[in-house]
Amino acid sequence: MNAARLVEWYRANHRPFPWREDTAPYKVWIAEIMSQQTVMAALLPFYARFMGRFPQVEDLAAAPEADVLAAWAGLGYYSRARNLHRAARMVVAAGGFPRTVEGLLELPGVGPYTAAAMASQCFGVAVPVWDGNVLRVMSRLSGRSDVFTAGFKAEMLERLGAVLAVGRDSSKKRNAMVKSAIQHREPSDLRNAANAVDPSAFNQGLMELGATVCTPRSPVCGRCPLSAGCVALRKGLQGELPPPKPRKAFVDVSARVFVARRVVARRGEQYLLVQRSAGQWFAGLWDFPSELGGVKEPVRRVAPLRMSAKATFRPGGGGGMASECPPKRHSEGRAGAPVACHTITHHKIRLTPVLVDAADAKTLIASTEARWFTIDEMLGGDLALATTAKKVLRAFKHCL
């Protein structure tokens, strides 16, 4: 691999994200956590909003968790926000961010990739990163299809680590680099032995290459700085490498959502929301009471409830539901009640709304925190509202 050419290409062609212009650990950290499960185009407005609300790690550490969850609204996977909050308090208590991979791994929500990315970008630590973009680039460069094996990852990380080690470590590592270059017939690695490689630009270059040039479909090989040594290009295998990752089967989850309504003088109609408990999906967020649980217990059954005599849509529980989720908008004319759908962590969730008597509110609350809200209060933007609640509101607001 011609590391010098990759770094040169990255510096001339990288996308100008805010955390690349200012590599303060806090800014890089927030960006890296947000980029998990979120594409860059969608991330940028969320990043700007979050940083505007919590410009320094001290601001994040001092904020109530509810404010952090509200600022995270729309990004999903809310455990990331809760881990950010916990980690921010640890960083402030320690007087700053750890400067090593080992230290960064101690922070909640920071795994091997994030630790390596932060260490290399913020502190110049010569450690390689490994994500889906790097996997794809290395699969095509090497012509290898065994990309989902532990052996492939270990071997590629060793080769990338050897590139980064040259010029800044012992002669023993330099010799290992030379030996690896000869063994894998990579003469460009021998040239790398003359100069130390910038770990930040090298790691970001690999990821940027995978994101913008060596893409999953229709890679732009003519723009690739590493095309001269690409086995997949030489053999015409770019469209076949890497092979698709085996997909985990989805689990279908059907649960009822209980909509309790009351009318309060000078406030109008209010609806009961509960704060979801730890261990459940959307823990810490406000949602309509429901049978929906979490990964370990997807559906939690509740005691029988009295259905409201003023229900404006058919109560759930009767009739069948389609095996596939219907359109996200309200769908009349199907068997049984209309359904709101959501997909999370390999679970396809179908939520059937049930309008219940307000007198059953205590049964719905159980041990969780609960409050009554108007629809305007729910959608005002200050409440950390679960995605499932938003979808129920969007789909059935005219019924409520």
Side-chain angles (χ1 to χ4, degrees):
M1 178 187 296
N2 192 324
R5 185 174 295 170
L6 174 65
V7 168
E8 181 182 3
W9 172 86
Y10 169 74
R11 288 174 174 160
N13 296 280
H14 71 271
R15 292 167 292 177
F17 296 137
W19 54 91
R20 286 176 172 171
E21 308 305 316
D22 181 354
T23 58
Y26 177 62
K27 294 183 177 181
V28 173
W29 174 51
I30 297 298
E32 290 295 347
I33 298 299
M34 282 190 171
S35 66
Q36 299 167 10
Q37 310 293 337
T38 306
V39 297
M40 285 296 178
L43 180 155
L44 289 171
F46 287 101
Y47 177 85
R49 185 183 71 184
F50 195 90
M51 295 303 294
R53 194 158 183 177
F54 310 111
Q56 303 294 333
V57 67
E58 292 81 5
D59 302 310
L60 180 58
E65 184 182 89
D67 289 356
V68 178
L69 293 174
W72 195 266
L75 280 169
Y77 297 92
Y78 287 87
S79 61
R80 295 183 293 171
R82 286 187 289 274
N83 283 332
L84 274 177
H85 194 220
R86 289 170 54 209
R89 293 181 170 179
M90 291 173 61
V91 168
V92 170
F97 280 89
R99 301 178 67 89
T100 65
V101 170
E102 294 75 17
L104 290 164
L105 284 170
E106 295 296 319
L107 298 177
V110 174
Y113 161 75
T114 303
M118 289 184 66
S120 61
Q121 293 176 46
C122 305
F123 308 117
V125 178
V127 58
V129 295
W130 188 261
D131 72 348
N133 287 318
V134 177
L135 179 150
R136 184 166 56 256
V137 170
M138 297 307 293
S139 170
R140 288 172 176 167
L141 284 177
S142 63
R144 296 268 294 272
S145 61
D146 58 334
V147 293
F148 301 114
T149 64
F152 177 82
K153 179 178 178 180
E155 182 180 335
M156 295 301 116
L157 281 175
E158 182 180 1
R159 292 177 62 180
L160 295 172
V163 172
L164 291 173
V166 169
R168 57 172 51 84
D169 287 306
S170 65
S171 59
K172 183 177 180 180
K173 287 191 176 180
R174 182 185 293 266
N175 292 337
M177 170 69 178
V178 173
K179 181 179 179 181
S180 175
I182 295 171
Q183 196 173 37
H184 295 98
R185 298 181 181 180
E186 288 275 10
S188 58
D189 283 355
L190 292 174
R191 291 192 292 274
N192 291 337
N195 301 291
V197 178
D198 175 6
S200 175
F202 178 77
N203 282 340
Q204 292 189 86
L206 276 177
M207 292 187 288
E208 190 78 346
L209 188 67
T212 63
V213 174
C214 194
T215 52
R217 289 175 292 275
S218 304
V220 192
C221 300
R223 291 174 47 203
C224 179
L226 305 179
S227 60
C230 181
V231 174
L233 176 60
R234 188 167 69 247
K235 295 184 177 181
L237 298 175
Q238 306 97 304
E240 300 175 33
L241 295 177
K245 186 176 183 178
R247 292 194 175 188
K248 186 176 179 180
F250 277 93
V251 177
D252 288 324
V253 178
S254 296
R256 294 179 296 171
V257 177
F258 303 109
V259 181
R261 174 172 55 188
R262 72 180 187 183
V263 179
V264 179
R266 295 185 300 277
R267 296 292 303 278
E269 290 187 342
Q270 294 181 321
Y271 296 87
L272 181 68
L273 297 184
V274 296
Q275 200 165 29
R276 294 185 63 80
S277 304
Q280 297 181 358
W281 286 307
F282 310 107
L285 303 184
W286 292 92
D287 199 358
F288 290 104
S290 72
E291 296 172 322
L292 188 63
V295 174
K296 293 184 179 179
E297 185 186 13
V299 178
R300 304 173 302 111
R301 295 301 172 190
V302 300
L305 300 167
R306 290 175 299 214
M307 302 305 169
S308 171
K310 298 180 180 180
T312 52
F313 50 80
R314 290 189 300 260
M321 285 186 289
S323 60
E324 296 293 330
C325 281
K328 294 181 180 179
R329 63 182 181 275
H330 177 62
S331 180
E332 298 284 4
R334 291 181 178 269
V339 176
C341 300
H342 186 66
T343 300
I344 185 171
T345 57
H346 304 291
H347 290 75
K348 286 186 176 180
I349 298 169
R350 294 191 297 274
L351 300 173
T352 304
V354 177
L355 195 61
V356 300
D357 197 297
D360 274 320
K362 290 184 179 179
T363 304
L364 295 171
I365 293 169
S367 60
T368 59
E369 185 177 347
R371 287 173 55 190
W372 294 86
F373 297 90
T374 65
I375 289 180
D376 288 341
E377 288 170 338
M378 292 185 220
L379 300 177
D382 294 326
L383 187 67
L385 195 65
T387 303
T388 43
K390 294 177 183 177
K391 289 191 173 183
V392 168
L393 283 171
R394 275 202 304 269
F396 311 114
K397 184 177 178 180
H398 63 287
C399 296
L400 302 178

PDB file of all heavy atoms in Angstrom, residues 160-182:
ATOM      1  N   LEU A 160      -1.744  -2.889   8.431  1.00  0.00           N
ATOM      2  CA  LEU A 160      -1.966  -1.449   8.582  1.00  0.00           C
ATOM      3  C   LEU A 160      -1.159  -0.892   9.751  1.00  0.00           C
ATOM      4  O   LEU A 160      -0.596   0.209   9.673  1.00  0.00           O
ATOM      5  CB  LEU A 160      -3.458  -1.167   8.785  1.00  0.00           C
ATOM      6  CG  LEU A 160      -4.375  -1.501   7.604  1.00  0.00           C
ATOM      7  CD1 LEU A 160      -5.839  -1.352   8.007  1.00  0.00           C
ATOM      8  CD2 LEU A 160      -4.058  -0.615   6.405  1.00  0.00           C
ATOM      9  N   GLY A 161      -1.107  -1.655  10.828  1.00  0.00           N
ATOM     10  CA  GLY A 161      -0.316  -1.228  11.980  1.00  0.00           C
ATOM     11  C   GLY A 161       1.159  -1.137  11.654  1.00  0.00           C
ATOM     12  O   GLY A 161       1.867  -0.254  12.140  1.00  0.00           O
ATOM     13  N   ALA A 162       1.636  -2.048  10.797  1.00  0.00           N
ATOM     14  CA  ALA A 162       3.044  -2.014  10.403  1.00  0.00           C
ATOM     15  C   ALA A 162       3.350  -0.752   9.597  1.00  0.00           C
ATOM     16  O   ALA A 162       4.414  -0.146   9.747  1.00  0.00           O
ATOM     17  CB  ALA A 162       3.378  -3.268   9.586  1.00  0.00           C
ATOM     18  N   VAL A 163       2.403  -0.343   8.748  1.00  0.00           N
ATOM     19  CA  VAL A 163       2.596   0.891   7.978  1.00  0.00           C
ATOM     20  C   VAL A 163       2.730   2.083   8.920  1.00  0.00           C
ATOM     21  O   VAL A 163       3.610   2.938   8.765  1.00  0.00           O
ATOM     22  CB  VAL A 163       1.416   1.117   7.005  1.00  0.00           C
ATOM     23  CG1 VAL A 163       1.513   2.491   6.345  1.00  0.00           C
ATOM     24  CG2 VAL A 163       1.378   0.025   5.948  1.00  0.00           C
ATOM     25  N   LEU A 164       1.877   2.135   9.932  1.00  0.00           N
ATOM     26  CA  LEU A 164       1.887   3.256  10.863  1.00  0.00           C
ATOM     27  C   LEU A 164       3.087   3.222  11.806  1.00  0.00           C
ATOM     28  O   LEU A 164       3.540   4.267  12.281  1.00  0.00           O
ATOM     29  CB  LEU A 164       0.599   3.256  11.695  1.00  0.00           C
ATOM     30  CG  LEU A 164      -0.681   3.599  10.935  1.00  0.00           C
ATOM     31  CD1 LEU A 164      -1.897   3.391  11.818  1.00  0.00           C
ATOM     32  CD2 LEU A 164      -0.627   5.033  10.441  1.00  0.00           C
ATOM     33  N   ALA A 165       3.608   2.023  12.062  1.00  0.00           N
ATOM     34  CA  ALA A 165       4.713   1.901  13.016  1.00  0.00           C
ATOM     35  C   ALA A 165       6.035   2.378  12.451  1.00  0.00           C
ATOM     36  O   ALA A 165       6.922   2.808  13.192  1.00  0.00           O
ATOM     37  CB  ALA A 165       4.838   0.437  13.463  1.00  0.00           C
ATOM     38  N   VAL A 166       6.165   2.320  11.156  1.00  0.00           N
ATOM     39  CA  VAL A 166       7.448   2.651  10.529  1.00  0.00           C
ATOM     40  C   VAL A 166       7.813   4.114  10.758  1.00  0.00           C
ATOM     41  O   VAL A 166       6.995   5.014  10.621  1.00  0.00           O
ATOM     42  CB  VAL A 166       7.389   2.357   9.013  1.00  0.00           C
ATOM     43  CG1 VAL A 166       8.600   2.943   8.306  1.00  0.00           C
ATOM     44  CG2 VAL A 166       7.331   0.862   8.789  1.00  0.00           C
ATOM     45  N   GLY A 167       9.086   4.326  11.129  1.00  0.00           N
ATOM     46  CA  GLY A 167       9.598   5.674  11.268  1.00  0.00           C
ATOM     47  C   GLY A 167       9.414   6.266  12.645  1.00  0.00           C
ATOM     48  O   GLY A 167       9.953   7.315  12.950  1.00  0.00           O
ATOM     49  N   ARG A 168       8.624   5.571  13.518  1.00  0.00           N
ATOM     50  CA  ARG A 168       8.408   6.136  14.845  1.00  0.00           C
ATOM     51  C   ARG A 168       8.662   5.127  15.956  1.00  0.00           C
ATOM     52  O   ARG A 168       8.602   5.456  17.112  1.00  0.00           O
ATOM     53  CB  ARG A 168       6.981   6.682  14.989  1.00  0.00           C
ATOM     54  CG  ARG A 168       5.903   5.666  14.722  1.00  0.00           C
ATOM     55  CD  ARG A 168       4.530   6.207  15.057  1.00  0.00           C
ATOM     56  NE  ARG A 168       4.252   7.500  14.451  1.00  0.00           N
ATOM     57  CZ  ARG A 168       3.798   7.680  13.221  1.00  0.00           C
ATOM     58  NH1 ARG A 168       3.591   6.624  12.450  1.00  0.00           N
ATOM     59  NH2 ARG A 168       3.557   8.863  12.732  1.00  0.00           N
ATOM     60  N   ASP A 169       8.958   3.872  15.563  1.00  0.00           N
ATOM     61  CA  ASP A 169       9.198   2.860  16.584  1.00  0.00           C
ATOM     62  C   ASP A 169      10.563   2.215  16.392  1.00  0.00           C
ATOM     63  O   ASP A 169      11.415   2.715  15.671  1.00  0.00           O
ATOM     64  CB  ASP A 169       8.084   1.799  16.554  1.00  0.00           C
ATOM     65  CG  ASP A 169       6.788   2.347  17.132  1.00  0.00           C
ATOM     66  OD1 ASP A 169       6.815   2.841  18.259  1.00  0.00           O
ATOM     67  OD2 ASP A 169       5.758   2.282  16.428  1.00  0.00           O
ATOM     68  N   SER A 170      10.728   1.089  17.010  1.00  0.00           N
ATOM     69  CA  SER A 170      12.028   0.428  17.046  1.00  0.00           C
ATOM     70  C   SER A 170      12.414  -0.156  15.685  1.00  0.00           C
ATOM     71  O   SER A 170      11.579  -0.351  14.804  1.00  0.00           O
ATOM     72  CB  SER A 170      11.977  -0.716  18.063  1.00  0.00           C
ATOM     73  OG  SER A 170      11.070  -1.709  17.633  1.00  0.00           O
ATOM     74  N   SER A 171      13.699  -0.431  15.534  1.00  0.00           N
ATOM     75  CA  SER A 171      14.178  -1.049  14.297  1.00  0.00           C
ATOM     76  C   SER A 171      13.571  -2.435  14.114  1.00  0.00           C
ATOM     77  O   SER A 171      13.442  -2.917  12.999  1.00  0.00           O
ATOM     78  CB  SER A 171      15.707  -1.144  14.334  1.00  0.00           C
ATOM     79  OG  SER A 171      16.117  -1.907  15.453  1.00  0.00           O
ATOM     80  N   LYS A 172      13.196  -3.068  15.227  1.00  0.00           N
ATOM     81  CA  LYS A 172      12.568  -4.386  15.143  1.00  0.00           C
ATOM     82  C   LYS A 172      11.243  -4.291  14.373  1.00  0.00           C
ATOM     83  O   LYS A 172      10.953  -5.122  13.504  1.00  0.00           O
ATOM     84  CB  LYS A 172      12.318  -4.932  16.551  1.00  0.00           C
ATOM     85  CG  LYS A 172      11.725  -6.342  16.566  1.00  0.00           C
ATOM     86  CD  LYS A 172      11.576  -6.833  17.996  1.00  0.00           C
ATOM     87  CE  LYS A 172      10.993  -8.246  18.015  1.00  0.00           C
ATOM     88  NZ  LYS A 172      10.837  -8.752  19.394  1.00  0.00           N
ATOM     89  N   LYS A 173      10.447  -3.246  14.663  1.00  0.00           N
ATOM     90  CA  LYS A 173       9.188  -3.065  13.950  1.00  0.00           C
ATOM     91  C   LYS A 173       9.444  -2.671  12.503  1.00  0.00           C
ATOM     92  O   LYS A 173       8.705  -3.042  11.604  1.00  0.00           O
ATOM     93  CB  LYS A 173       8.330  -2.014  14.657  1.00  0.00           C
ATOM     94  CG  LYS A 173       7.713  -2.509  15.957  1.00  0.00           C
ATOM     95  CD  LYS A 173       6.678  -1.537  16.475  1.00  0.00           C
ATOM     96  CE  LYS A 173       5.993  -2.103  17.722  1.00  0.00           C
ATOM     97  NZ  LYS A 173       4.973  -1.169  18.250  1.00  0.00           N
ATOM     98  N   ARG A 174      10.496  -1.889  12.273  1.00  0.00           N
ATOM     99  CA  ARG A 174      10.831  -1.507  10.906  1.00  0.00           C
ATOM    100  C   ARG A 174      11.179  -2.759  10.097  1.00  0.00           C
ATOM    101  O   ARG A 174      10.747  -2.920   8.961  1.00  0.00           O
ATOM    102  CB  ARG A 174      12.013  -0.531  10.910  1.00  0.00           C
ATOM    103  CG  ARG A 174      12.409  -0.035   9.514  1.00  0.00           C
ATOM    104  CD  ARG A 174      13.670   0.821   9.612  1.00  0.00           C
ATOM    105  NE  ARG A 174      13.404   2.033  10.335  1.00  0.00           N
ATOM    106  CZ  ARG A 174      13.062   3.191   9.761  1.00  0.00           C
ATOM    107  NH1 ARG A 174      12.955   3.267   8.456  1.00  0.00           N
ATOM    108  NH2 ARG A 174      12.827   4.255  10.482  1.00  0.00           N
ATOM    109  N   ASN A 175      11.941  -3.662  10.718  1.00  0.00           N
ATOM    110  CA  ASN A 175      12.303  -4.906  10.034  1.00  0.00           C
ATOM    111  C   ASN A 175      11.065  -5.759   9.757  1.00  0.00           C
ATOM    112  O   ASN A 175      10.963  -6.414   8.718  1.00  0.00           O
ATOM    113  CB  ASN A 175      13.305  -5.694  10.867  1.00  0.00           C
ATOM    114  CG  ASN A 175      14.650  -4.996  10.940  1.00  0.00           C
ATOM    115  OD1 ASN A 175      14.984  -4.180  10.070  1.00  0.00           O
ATOM    116  ND2 ASN A 175      15.428  -5.300  11.972  1.00  0.00           N
ATOM    117  N   ALA A 176      10.124  -5.742  10.707  1.00  0.00           N
ATOM    118  CA  ALA A 176       8.892  -6.495  10.507  1.00  0.00           C
ATOM    119  C   ALA A 176       8.104  -5.934   9.336  1.00  0.00           C
ATOM    120  O   ALA A 176       7.487  -6.672   8.561  1.00  0.00           O
ATOM    121  CB  ALA A 176       8.042  -6.465  11.784  1.00  0.00           C
ATOM    122  N   MET A 177       8.136  -4.603   9.201  1.00  0.00           N
ATOM    123  CA  MET A 177       7.460  -3.960   8.082  1.00  0.00           C
ATOM    124  C   MET A 177       8.071  -4.394   6.754  1.00  0.00           C
ATOM    125  O   MET A 177       7.362  -4.713   5.794  1.00  0.00           O
ATOM    126  CB  MET A 177       7.574  -2.433   8.252  1.00  0.00           C
ATOM    127  CG  MET A 177       7.134  -1.632   7.060  1.00  0.00           C
ATOM    128  SD  MET A 177       5.359  -1.739   6.809  1.00  0.00           S
ATOM    129  CE  MET A 177       5.202  -0.647   5.388  1.00  0.00           C
ATOM    130  N   VAL A 178       9.370  -4.405   6.705  1.00  0.00           N
ATOM    131  CA  VAL A 178      10.066  -4.810   5.482  1.00  0.00           C
ATOM    132  C   VAL A 178       9.743  -6.264   5.158  1.00  0.00           C
ATOM    133  O   VAL A 178       9.455  -6.620   4.013  1.00  0.00           O
ATOM    134  CB  VAL A 178      11.587  -4.595   5.628  1.00  0.00           C
ATOM    135  CG1 VAL A 178      12.314  -5.184   4.426  1.00  0.00           C
ATOM    136  CG2 VAL A 178      11.899  -3.121   5.784  1.00  0.00           C
ATOM    137  N   LYS A 179       9.771  -7.112   6.185  1.00  0.00           N
ATOM    138  CA  LYS A 179       9.474  -8.530   5.995  1.00  0.00           C
ATOM    139  C   LYS A 179       8.046  -8.717   5.479  1.00  0.00           C
ATOM    140  O   LYS A 179       7.788  -9.513   4.565  1.00  0.00           O
ATOM    141  CB  LYS A 179       9.655  -9.278   7.313  1.00  0.00           C
ATOM    142  CG  LYS A 179       9.401 -10.776   7.212  1.00  0.00           C
ATOM    143  CD  LYS A 179       9.633 -11.448   8.561  1.00  0.00           C
ATOM    144  CE  LYS A 179       9.345 -12.943   8.471  1.00  0.00           C
ATOM    145  NZ  LYS A 179       9.553 -13.601   9.784  1.00  0.00           N
ATOM    146  N   SER A 180       7.092  -7.967   6.062  1.00  0.00           N
ATOM    147  CA  SER A 180       5.699  -8.059   5.630  1.00  0.00           C
ATOM    148  C   SER A 180       5.548  -7.601   4.187  1.00  0.00           C
ATOM    149  O   SER A 180       4.811  -8.196   3.400  1.00  0.00           O
ATOM    150  CB  SER A 180       4.808  -7.206   6.545  1.00  0.00           C
ATOM    151  OG  SER A 180       3.497  -7.181   6.081  1.00  0.00           O
ATOM    152  N   ALA A 181       6.253  -6.540   3.806  1.00  0.00           N
ATOM    153  CA  ALA A 181       6.165  -6.019   2.442  1.00  0.00           C
ATOM    154  C   ALA A 181       6.661  -7.047   1.431  1.00  0.00           C
ATOM    155  O   ALA A 181       6.066  -7.234   0.366  1.00  0.00           O
ATOM    156  CB  ALA A 181       6.968  -4.733   2.323  1.00  0.00           C
ATOM    157  N   ILE A 182       7.766  -7.704   1.766  1.00  0.00           N
ATOM    158  CA  ILE A 182       8.319  -8.721   0.864  1.00  0.00           C
ATOM    159  C   ILE A 182       7.370  -9.915   0.771  1.00  0.00           C
ATOM    160  O   ILE A 182       7.085 -10.437  -0.301  1.00  0.00           O
ATOM    161  CB  ILE A 182       9.713  -9.165   1.340  1.00  0.00           C
ATOM    162  CG1 ILE A 182      10.688  -7.973   1.248  1.00  0.00           C
ATOM    163  CG2 ILE A 182      10.210 -10.349   0.539  1.00  0.00           C
ATOM    164  CD1 ILE A 182      12.033  -8.252   1.887  1.00  0.00           C
TER     165      ILE A 182
END
